[in-house]
Amino acid sequence: MPFQRTTKIRDIMTRKLETIGSTASAHEVAIKMRDKKVSSVLVMDERYGIPLGIVTERDLARKVCVTDKNSTQLLASKVMSFPLIKVNSEVSALEAADLMLKNKVRHLLVVSTESQQEKRENGINEDKDLLKPVGIITPMDFIRYKLVISSGYLSKDSHEDNDTKRILEYYKNDANFD
């Protein structure tokens, strides 16, 4: 049986990952999104440096604009979507798409596992696996990948092509998707 390449999420994710502190205002989030030309910003805990949630254009529209709240007074932590749905960069694109569909989200945080040794108070070294944010995956990433494939820049098998079509059809047809 011939080898079939499975597309990993790291192959199609957006590597442009913008972050902002949880105490930033919704106004600052919107400005950063505009200036960096991104559709989402990862909200980070300033003290521990860990991701808390994500603010998307949709979050700004639904939680700030239509409620007529003052965007300079509203904190990113109050606007963000959480809990964050994460996916390992080594999973297949199909698994990531299924995770998005199952959780009804349009943005997944892509993480990689990084091993680190930490010295405890008693002097014993402890191995810890840390999840490091490396990108974001959105429906647009699947569409971009599909366009690259159909233009002939990459080759892939027909099974994978059918999976991509199914994913794109779902997003196109689901009017109640958040």
Side-chain angles (χ1 to χ4, degrees):
M1 182 172 211
F3 175 77
Q4 291 184 340
R5 179 177 176 262
T6 301
T7 305
K8 302 286 186 195
I9 206 63
R10 67 176 147 69
D11 298 329
I12 66 173
M13 72 181 185
T14 299
R15 288 172 179 18
K16 191 176 190 179
L17 185 62
E18 297 297 334
T19 63
I20 200 157
S22 61
T23 58
S25 70
H27 183 75
E28 291 170 303
V29 170
I31 289 171
K32 184 163 197 163
M33 289 168 71
R34 180 200 64 199
D35 292 350
K36 298 294 183 174
K37 297 180 172 82
V38 294
S39 64
S40 63
V41 174
L42 194 59
V43 179
M44 303 293 286
D45 180 291
E46 294 95 341
R47 185 171 180 190
Y48 298 107
I50 59 171
L52 298 174
I54 189 168
V55 177
T56 66
E57 291 171 334
R58 183 170 281 207
D59 290 325
L60 290 174
R62 290 184 173 183
K63 297 174 184 172
V64 181
C65 297
V66 298
T67 60
D68 201 25
K69 293 187 177 171
N70 185 341
S71 66
T72 59
Q73 302 296 315
L74 197 56
L75 296 179
S77 60
K78 299 296 182 189
V79 177
M80 69 183 185
S81 293
F82 68 93
L84 270 172
I85 309 298
K86 300 175 203 83
V87 64
N88 190 291
S89 62
E90 296 301 312
V91 304
S92 72
L94 183 59
E95 289 175 275
D98 285 343
L99 189 60
M100 290 171 86
L101 298 173
K102 178 181 155 200
N103 289 284
K104 294 192 176 195
V105 296
R106 293 178 187 248
H107 293 74
L108 285 179
L109 177 62
V110 182
V111 296
S112 70
T113 306
E114 191 177 272
S115 293
Q116 186 177 36
Q117 258 196 2
E118 187 175 281
K119 196 167 197 163
R120 292 172 47 191
E121 289 178 17
N122 61 4
I124 297 173
N125 287 334
E126 181 179 16
D127 290 329
K128 286 191 170 187
D129 286 336
L130 301 174
L131 296 179
K132 178 184 172 190
V134 293
I136 292 283
I137 189 78
T138 70
M140 273 309 294
D141 294 312
F142 291 103
I143 294 167
R144 268 190 232 104
Y145 181 70
K146 176 71 175 156
L147 292 173
V148 168
I149 294 301
S150 64
S151 65
Y153 289 113
L154 296 173
S155 62
K156 75 186 202 74
D157 62 51
S158 61
H159 172 70
E160 214 171 286
D161 192 43
N162 288 335
D163 291 341
T164 304
K165 283 181 186 174
R166 184 177 64 82
I167 293 162
L168 295 175
E169 282 299 313
Y170 180 86
Y171 284 115
K172 188 169 83 176
N173 294 327
D174 189 6
N176 295 323
F177 199 77
D178 289 332

